[in-house]
Amino acid sequence: MKKVLIFYASYGGGHLSAAKSILKYVTEHYTGVEAEMVDCMKYINKPIEKVTTGAYREMAKKTPKLWGKVYSGSEKGLLSKISKDSNKLMARKLNRLLQEKKPDLVISTHPFSSQMVSYLKRKGKLDCTLATIMTDFAMHKQWLIGHEYTEYFFISNEDMKQDIINYGVSPDKIFVTGIPMSDRFFEDFDAKEVYEMFELDVNKKVILFFGGGEFGLGKNRTTQILQAFIQKASNYQIVAVAGKNEKMKESFEQLVHENNAKDRVRVLGFTDKVPELMHISSLVVTKPGGLTTTESLASNLPMIIINPIPGQEEENAEFLVSHGVGVWIKKEDNPEEVIINLLSSNLLEEMKKNTEKFTKQYSTKTICETLL
């Protein structure tokens, strides 16, 4: 029986989603393989995990510029050293689990677990294959600490591959597969049924608008941009998703009331129907987290980027803009002008065509076949 451990950490949804996708595929398609998913930080120390994930969420929500400095600082200097040293200490605790499970293969979707396992391999305490799945669209050096002891890197795009090679990683370790995601995004939904599910007009195109979820970043700016879409994209229907952020949902509903737009704007809280909604949409408006970006590109959706968190999300935004699949509405931009320019030209059509280069529908399958 081949044993596989899949490590993730709860700092953002992309790491967990990638881990879940891998576990599901392995479980459904491989006999003779025993796979298990573990939150590496929660295993090491639940109080530390609770404090650090809480700090990440609060910093990203309330002081995003400070988070951007932390993110940048973790690549070099004192913060980088603190991160590496703390991961070495935590690796000793993680080693207990690894010695108990004795995995043949470790798949890591977070840089911390990649560092810990590579450190244990370097110290001769562990003999297994290590695969790292990078869940963003730009390189960060924390992912590559201990790369000499990592056999596989699975990444989202060719630009990233070249950056990683330049850093010193052997090209034969790097596989441009795309980021693993739920296979629900590749289901062949009945568009008419989805329109009916959300009481939408089948004769009008749909804009999918995400309000930032639990972070609710830039609430005033977000509502300003939604209002601009309501007023300047009158030929479209809008599905505005506030997630679990009740205040954002109330703001969206107030906007709809003020603009007398109930007939063409649907406001949702949390929904598990994102694959269905992306299937019928022509455009997505969102902050560019690794998971949402992956899902949007897989659904061939051009992106309007709003409120990226400084750090990895701003790097994702720059990647999307540079490859002609996204437009970033920055603080100094007039949203109405951006929307008018986008919808009155063939730019949207060009962006949709450009997404085809990044549609990696079989990322999970490819990764699993490569490893198993």
Side-chain angles (χ1 to χ4, degrees):
M1 179 72 71
K2 193 165 191 171
K3 292 186 178 180
V4 178
L5 268 183
I6 306 165
F7 284 131
Y8 70 99
S10 301
Y11 304 94
H15 312 293
L16 174 59
S17 176
K20 280 182 174 178
S21 181
I22 294 291
L23 179 65
K24 183 175 185 288
Y25 193 89
V26 171
T27 303
E28 292 178 354
H29 293 86
Y30 290 89
T31 56
V33 177
E34 182 184 293
E36 183 179 351
M37 204 169 85
V38 177
D39 184 328
C40 64
M41 295 302 292
K42 196 168 281 186
Y43 173 82
I44 288 164
N45 190 303
K46 285 184 180 178
I48 288 178
E49 188 270 343
K50 189 173 182 181
V51 168
T52 54
T53 55
Y56 162 72
R57 291 189 182 101
E58 287 301 301
M59 202 180 295
K61 181 178 179 180
K62 295 179 179 177
T63 56
K65 285 185 179 178
L66 178 58
W67 166 250
K69 289 180 180 178
V70 170
Y71 178 83
S72 177
S74 65
E75 283 208 285
K76 56 189 176 182
L78 181 60
L79 277 177
S80 174
K81 186 176 187 312
I82 290 170
S83 176
K84 281 191 285 188
D85 290 347
S86 62
N87 281 325
K88 286 178 185 178
L89 289 171
M90 290 188 289
R92 295 171 188 171
K93 176 73 182 289
L94 194 66
N95 191 38
R96 294 180 197 171
L97 175 69
L98 290 160
Q99 294 307 321
E100 176 194 334
K101 300 291 184 181
K102 298 192 182 307
D104 301 288
L105 168 65
V106 171
I107 301 173
S108 169
T109 69
H110 194 277
F112 288 176
S113 46
S114 295
Q115 287 181 37
M116 289 182 228
V117 175
S118 64
Y119 171 75
L120 292 170
K121 288 182 70 175
R122 179 165 68 86
K123 289 293 183 181
K125 296 181 182 295
L126 192 61
D127 180 21
C128 68
T129 299
L130 173 59
T132 290
I133 299 172
M134 300 171 75
T135 54
D136 275 303
F137 287 77
M139 188 193 89
H140 191 285
K141 291 175 184 175
Q142 283 287 327
W143 285 101
L144 303 175
I145 293 170
H147 66 81
E148 302 91 342
Y149 298 90
T150 304
E151 283 78 16
Y152 298 89
F153 287 95
F154 297 102
I155 61 172
S156 61
N157 63 85
E158 291 289 345
D159 290 7
M160 215 170 164
K161 180 175 181 176
Q162 192 55 54
D163 289 340
I164 295 171
I165 291 169
N166 293 343
Y167 184 79
V169 178
S170 174
D172 60 6
K173 291 184 175 185
I174 308 167
F175 299 81
V176 183
T177 57
I179 301 169
M181 57 187 290
S182 168
D183 54 11
R184 289 191 61 229
F185 285 87
F186 310 119
E187 289 183 27
D188 188 19
F189 296 109
D190 185 312
K192 187 178 178 184
E193 286 182 6
V194 180
Y195 272 92
E196 289 174 356
M197 185 189 303
F198 294 98
E199 298 179 347
L200 296 166
D201 183 348
V202 293
N203 297 310
K204 273 191 173 183
K205 291 181 179 180
V206 175
I207 293 171
L208 182 56
F209 189 104
F210 289 112
E214 64 175 307
F215 293 131
L217 298 174
K219 179 185 166 190
N220 293 338
R221 181 63 166 169
T222 301
T223 52
Q224 180 191 13
I225 293 170
L226 177 57
Q227 175 152 319
F229 270 101
I230 291 172
Q231 294 179 349
K232 300 301 177 183
S234 56
N235 292 331
Y236 286 78
Q237 299 167 104
I238 300 170
V239 177
V241 181
K244 296 178 181 178
N245 191 316
E246 284 300 320
K247 289 184 179 178
M248 188 71 78
K249 186 170 183 283
E250 289 170 11
S251 297
F252 287 178
E253 288 168 343
Q254 182 66 26
L255 262 185
V256 173
H257 175 73
E258 289 171 359
N259 288 273
N260 194 27
K262 283 185 179 180
D263 61 328
R264 58 189 182 87
V265 182
R266 298 286 174 268
V267 176
L268 306 177
F270 172 79
T271 177
D272 60 359
K273 303 298 182 187
V274 172
E276 288 90 335
L277 288 167
M278 285 194 173
H279 181 76
I280 63 165
S281 296
S282 298
L283 172 69
V284 64
V285 184
T286 182
K287 60 195 280 295
L291 178 59
T292 307
T293 299
T294 300
E295 293 168 350
S296 300
L297 292 176
S299 303
N300 291 122
L301 284 176
M303 298 174 67
I304 296 289
I305 302 152
I306 61 173
N307 306 326
I309 301 171
Q312 67 269 50
E313 288 193 354
E314 286 193 347
E315 290 177 352
N316 290 348
E318 287 166 0
F319 172 86
L320 294 166
V321 171
S322 68
H323 287 277
V325 293
V327 172
W328 183 356
I329 301 181
K330 297 186 177 181
K331 286 183 179 178
E332 63 272 17
D333 293 333
N334 182 327
E336 293 189 359
E337 289 179 2
V338 174
I339 292 164
I340 290 169
N341 179 56
L342 180 68
L343 300 182
S344 63
S345 66
N346 64 350
L347 182 58
L348 202 58
E349 190 177 317
E350 289 174 11
M351 289 165 66
K352 183 176 179 65
K353 188 173 179 58
N354 289 339
T355 63
E356 293 173 8
K357 293 181 289 186
F358 304 102
T359 303
K360 308 286 187 182
Q361 290 198 359
Y362 304 105
S363 54
T364 303
K365 179 176 183 284
T366 305
I367 291 168
C368 291
E369 287 183 350
T370 302
L371 294 173
L372 296 170

